[in-house]
Amino acid sequence: MSLKLYAHPFSSYSQKVLIALYENGTPFEFCPLSPDHPDVLARFHALWPLKRFPILVDDGRLVVEASIIIEHLGLHHPGPVRLLPEDAQAALEVRMLDRFFDNYVSTPQQKIVSDKLRAPAARDEQGVTEARAMLDTAYEWLDGYMAVRTWAVAESFSLADCAAAPFLFYADWTHAIGERFAHLRAYRRRLLARPSVMRVVNEARPYRELFPLGAPDRD
Ligand SMILES: N[C@@H](CCC(=O)N[C@@H](CS)C(=O)NCC(=O)O)C(=O)O
């Protein structure tokens, strides 16, 4: 098989790419990054010393960064669902929202979770406070933005929604999206009802005990 995805089912960035693959029914080999598969881990470390995942290997060519992997799939393995619109301006808006979800939802969410994994003496209280403030601001902005939209851009599911789904899923677990953000909460529910997203959520279900802040009993 030409496409090999090195990933973990519980990882948000892995889910971002899995959603894109499932949207288009793209065949690929899942290479699980887990201590149960030391051979896969060794291959991954040799391929990508930065050790951030997922990574894709397409017929020997390494592709890194979830957004770029999704763009690569659209270019070289297109399917019925176009995740980057053909129109250049619409594509720019998709990339803009994709950057928003990576930088202003996922990054602060990961900061809070990774801080919890540190030894108490090494924790960064101020950094966590700033991350929570960033999420509050991002939720506020997104709530207004989503008030008139179904999906993140141009009323069709795109790369930006592939990012939004796992990041809002975990962000809400990490720093609850308050009831006053009704449009954002409705968008999160719409994302979770999408079959590709439902599938990644279900595949990740067995790993919920790995969530460092304690997974809530919902979703
Ligand atoms: N910028 C990367 C971020 C990937 C990322 O942070 N992945 C997490 C898993 S969700 C990871 O590699 N964590 C391992 C670590 O931080 O050591 C992308 O867009 O793919």
Side-chain angles (χ1 to χ4, degrees):
M1 182 167 310
S2 82
L3 289 178
K4 292 184 200 299
L5 184 74
Y6 290 75
H8 189 283
F10 199 60
S11 121
S12 56
Y13 280 95
S14 300
Q15 292 177 358
K16 176 173 168 177
V17 171
L18 286 167
I19 291 166
L21 288 161
Y22 295 161
E23 281 290 326
N24 278 308
T26 312
F28 68 100
E29 183 187 337
F30 188 84
C31 303
L33 295 173
S34 104
D36 299 338
H37 299 273
D39 51 325
V40 178
L41 278 180
R43 280 205 312 272
F44 168 62
H45 291 162
L47 281 163
W48 191 230
L50 285 153
K51 298 183 185 165
R52 292 291 184 278
F53 52 93
I55 62 167
L56 182 78
V57 180
D58 183 355
D59 212 8
R61 182 198 289 190
L62 174 68
V63 188
V64 302
E65 293 293 303
S67 304
I68 305 303
I69 295 173
I70 294 173
E71 294 229 23
H72 175 95
L73 292 171
L75 265 184
H76 299 287
H77 305 270
V81 181
R82 250 199 107 98
L83 295 167
L84 256 301
E86 206 163 4
D87 175 74
Q89 178 57 37
L92 203 56
E93 285 169 40
V94 166
R95 292 188 180 99
M96 183 175 92
L97 265 291
D98 176 63
R99 294 299 80 226
F100 186 94
F101 286 113
D102 271 33
N103 292 325
Y104 307 128
V105 178
S106 180
T107 298
Q109 186 274 333
Q110 285 192 332
K111 167 73 186 169
I112 298 166
V113 165
S114 61
D115 195 73
K116 180 78 179 170
L117 294 170
R118 290 183 178 181
R123 293 209 176 125
D124 170 15
E125 198 184 323
Q126 187 181 339
V128 167
T129 302
E130 286 167 3
R132 289 191 183 279
M134 169 79 83
L135 282 175
D136 283 332
T137 308
Y139 292 169
E140 181 98 48
W141 185 81
L142 277 170
D143 191 62
Y145 181 82
M146 290 312 302
V148 293
R149 288 173 176 81
T150 305
W151 302 115
V153 178
E155 294 311 296
S156 44
F157 192 88
S158 71
L159 160 69
D161 301 291
C162 295
F167 300 159
L168 289 173
F169 179 85
Y170 288 118
D172 184 49
W173 282 13
T174 303
H175 186 76
I177 301 172
E179 288 191 10
R180 71 192 177 98
F181 300 128
H183 303 298
L184 181 55
R185 286 162 67 100
Y187 174 47
R188 184 178 182 274
R189 277 197 301 277
R190 266 194 307 283
L191 288 165
L192 289 182
R194 181 107 180 163
S196 60
V197 177
M198 240 186 244
R199 183 170 167 191
V200 297
V201 169
N202 283 330
E203 288 172 351
R205 213 171 278 285
Y207 303 97
R208 286 187 175 198
E209 69 199 25
L210 295 178
F211 192 66
L213 306 173
D217 192 17
R218 60 182 167 85
D219 296 325

